[in-house]
């Protein structure tokens, strides 16, 4: 049985490599992502002071991570209009850090939302600008300022020592009880991306604290957060020991469905607030995220699993809209509404990351 399964995976690997450039529509994916980010940045609910918009974990952050990866496939030399607007907002908020209001002030949302907002935004700003700089191949003063803001808010004592305060609205998987770990993994990804940050002498103690926080808590984290940690380990040396990395790879591979995909609902213990059943079929969010995490931090033994997932992603893009779909862990939503598309925004971005990475291998 194991031999026959290995043969199937090997065949899938060969077929997916040959078809990687032609079996999904990069232009349609870019058009979907640009349109959704344009909508988000103009939506009144997303508006913040100084004519900026908040960086959401479902739409804006995945967009910032994935959109630059499409430039090569689309022969683009510059950021898209939607990407430029988002970057301008982030740069403005970094420059005015002491003057801009937090995403959610205590005075309107209750304690401790100011602290949560500042910690969250500091990490998001750093990873957005680090991603830009990584694609440009050079550091920037704007990213340097974003990292200064981030480091200033890193906890030095207590249960969160090494991490950051993080927004908690009891919304899975980004704004819930385990989400500070997700945020710390994002910080590790940012550190690994921004040229010069990981090697700077003044950052070594800070990175040590972050590494200790991530390794101390990983055994109790949902798999979706451990996938983020595996991703981070591909860019930050010594973040994980070899056996720790392999344990995450094995746990993720054990959850892969027979069709090659993953289901987000299988990567944690979730229950919707409206008591509707969770979707258990493979989805674009989990499949894209896990496939990309395995590409970044996995072992060669996981390559067949990734190839199987790439085939699933190639086959499940909506060729009319350009997106991949996923559904909310919190409540049943109408997927045709703007709010109902939030999970598909993230799914599309992570699918793009996995597919563009596979095309380079």
């Amino acid at each position: 049985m194991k031999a026959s399964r290995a043969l199937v995976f090997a065949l899938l690997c060969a077929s997916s490599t040959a078809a990687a450039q032609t079996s999904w529509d990069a232009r349609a994916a870019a058009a979907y992502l640009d349109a959704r980010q344009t909508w988000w940045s103009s939506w009144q609910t997303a508006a913040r002071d100084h004519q900026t918009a908040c960086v959401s974990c479902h739409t804006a952050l995945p967009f910032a991570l994935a959109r630059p990866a499409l430039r090569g496939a689309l022969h683009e030399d510059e950021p898209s209009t939607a990407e430029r607007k988002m970057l301008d907002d982030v740069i403005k908020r970094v420059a005015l850090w002491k003057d801009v209001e937090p995403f959610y002030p205590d005075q309107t949302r209750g304690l401790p939302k100011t602290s949560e907002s500042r910690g969250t935004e500091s990490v998001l700003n750093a990873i957005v600008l680090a991603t830009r700089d990584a694609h440009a191949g050079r550091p920037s003063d704007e990213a340097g300022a974003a990292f200064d803001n981030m480091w200033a808010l890193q906890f030095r004592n207590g249960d969160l020592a090494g991490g950051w305060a993080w927004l908690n609205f009891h919304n899975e998987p980004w704004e819930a009880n385990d989400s500070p770990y997700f945020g710390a993994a994002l910080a590790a990804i940012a550190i690994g991306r921004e040229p010069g940050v990981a090697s700077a002498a003044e950052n070594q103690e800070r990175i040590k604290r972050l590494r200790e926080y991530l390794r101390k808590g990983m055994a109790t984290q949902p798999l979706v957060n451990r996938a983020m940690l595996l991703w981070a380990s591909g860019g930050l040396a010594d973040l994980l020991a070899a056996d720790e990395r392999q344990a995450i790879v094995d746990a993720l591979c054990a959850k892969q469905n027979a069709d090659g995909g993953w289901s987000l609902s299988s990567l944690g213990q979730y229950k919707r607030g409206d008591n509707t059943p969770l979707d258990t079929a493979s989805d674009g969010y989990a499949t894209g995220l896990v496939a990309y995490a395995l590409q970044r931090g996995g072992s060669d033994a996981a390559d067949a699993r990734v190839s199987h997932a790439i085939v699933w992603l190639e086959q499940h893009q909506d060729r009319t809209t350009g997106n991949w779909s996923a559904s909310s862990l919190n409540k049943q939503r109408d997927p045709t509404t703007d709010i109902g598309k939030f999970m598909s925004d993230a799914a599309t971005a992570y699918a793009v990351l996995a597919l563009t990475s596979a095309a380079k291998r």
Side-chain angles (χ1 to χ4, degrees):
M1 180 64 73
K2 290 184 179 178
S4 62
R5 182 175 295 175
L7 177 60
V8 169
F9 280 142
L11 292 172
L12 286 168
C13 179
S15 64
S16 65
T17 300
Q21 294 285 359
T22 60
S23 56
W24 64 284
D25 192 336
R27 192 164 300 279
Y32 175 85
L33 290 169
D34 282 341
R36 290 295 294 157
Q37 178 58 30
T38 298
W39 170 81
W40 173 261
S41 65
S42 62
W43 188 34
Q44 186 57 40
T45 302
R48 296 298 182 267
D49 67 329
H50 291 80
Q51 289 79 51
T52 61
C54 68
V55 178
S56 57
C57 289
H58 49 70
T59 299
L61 171 64
F63 172 81
L65 296 173
R67 189 58 180 86
L70 285 166
R71 288 197 204 124
L74 300 179
H75 307 291
E76 296 174 338
D77 296 324
E78 299 292 335
S80 68
T81 301
E83 189 180 354
R84 183 71 262 165
K85 172 66 169 66
M86 183 208 61
L87 289 168
D88 287 345
D89 281 359
V90 169
I91 290 168
K92 179 187 287 189
R93 291 187 66 86
V94 169
L96 300 175
W97 185 248
K98 295 181 180 179
D99 300 316
V100 293
E101 291 185 356
F103 284 165
Y104 301 97
D106 289 342
Q107 289 74 18
T108 59
R109 303 306 289 260
L111 289 167
K113 285 295 175 279
T114 288
S115 177
E116 291 177 356
S117 293
R118 288 300 193 198
T120 300
E121 186 183 2
S122 73
V123 173
L124 295 179
N125 288 345
I127 194 170
V128 167
L129 295 178
T131 298
R132 182 201 63 175
D133 290 358
H135 283 273
R138 58 183 181 275
S140 68
D141 291 340
E142 298 97 339
F147 275 96
D148 287 344
N149 295 337
M150 187 186 86
W151 291 128
L153 294 175
Q154 186 186 36
F155 285 108
R156 294 171 179 79
N157 294 292
D159 292 340
L160 282 174
W164 286 263
W166 202 259
L167 283 166
N168 188 350
F169 290 111
H170 305 289
N171 288 325
E172 297 285 3
W174 309 297
E175 297 173 347
N177 293 340
D178 289 322
S179 296
Y181 195 92
F182 164 77
L186 286 178
I189 294 170
I191 293 163
R193 288 189 167 188
E194 180 65 17
V197 169
S199 60
E202 66 269 21
N203 292 335
Q204 297 313 299
E205 185 61 30
R206 298 159 171 168
I207 294 172
K208 179 184 178 203
R209 284 196 296 264
L210 173 58
R211 183 184 294 113
E212 289 173 350
Y213 170 77
L214 288 168
R215 294 174 74 170
K216 177 183 67 175
M218 66 181 168
T220 61
Q221 287 297 311
L223 267 175
V224 69
N225 282 352
R226 280 181 275 167
M228 296 298 299
L229 177 61
L230 184 65
W231 172 354
S233 73
L236 192 56
D238 301 323
L239 184 61
L240 291 174
D243 60 329
E244 293 170 330
R245 182 182 295 109
Q246 190 59 49
I248 298 174
V249 170
D250 292 344
L252 290 170
C253 288
K255 293 294 184 179
Q256 188 173 26
N257 293 328
D259 63 5
W262 278 264
S263 167
L264 183 55
S265 63
S266 73
L267 301 183
Q269 296 182 345
Y270 305 113
K271 186 178 186 299
R272 281 178 167 172
D274 60 2
N275 293 317
T276 56
L278 289 160
D279 292 329
T280 58
S282 297
D283 62 76
Y285 182 96
T287 306
L289 172 61
V290 175
Y292 188 63
L294 290 172
Q295 288 169 327
R296 293 291 299 152
S299 62
D300 292 342
D303 284 352
R305 304 283 189 159
V306 173
S307 298
H308 201 188
I310 294 301
V311 171
W312 187 95
L313 289 169
E314 290 169 344
Q315 294 174 345
H316 286 82
Q317 183 186 23
D318 186 318
R319 298 308 177 95
T320 301
T321 62
N323 75 298
W324 283 259
S325 62
S327 61
S328 173
L329 294 171
N330 303 297
K331 64 173 67 175
Q332 191 170 54
R333 296 189 183 276
D334 181 351
T336 66
T337 64
D338 282 314
I339 293 175
K341 293 175 183 175
F342 284 165
M343 292 303 295
S344 293
D345 297 346
T348 302
Y350 289 128
V352 162
L353 285 173
L355 288 162
T356 54
S357 179
K360 297 176 182 178
R361 292 166 76 92

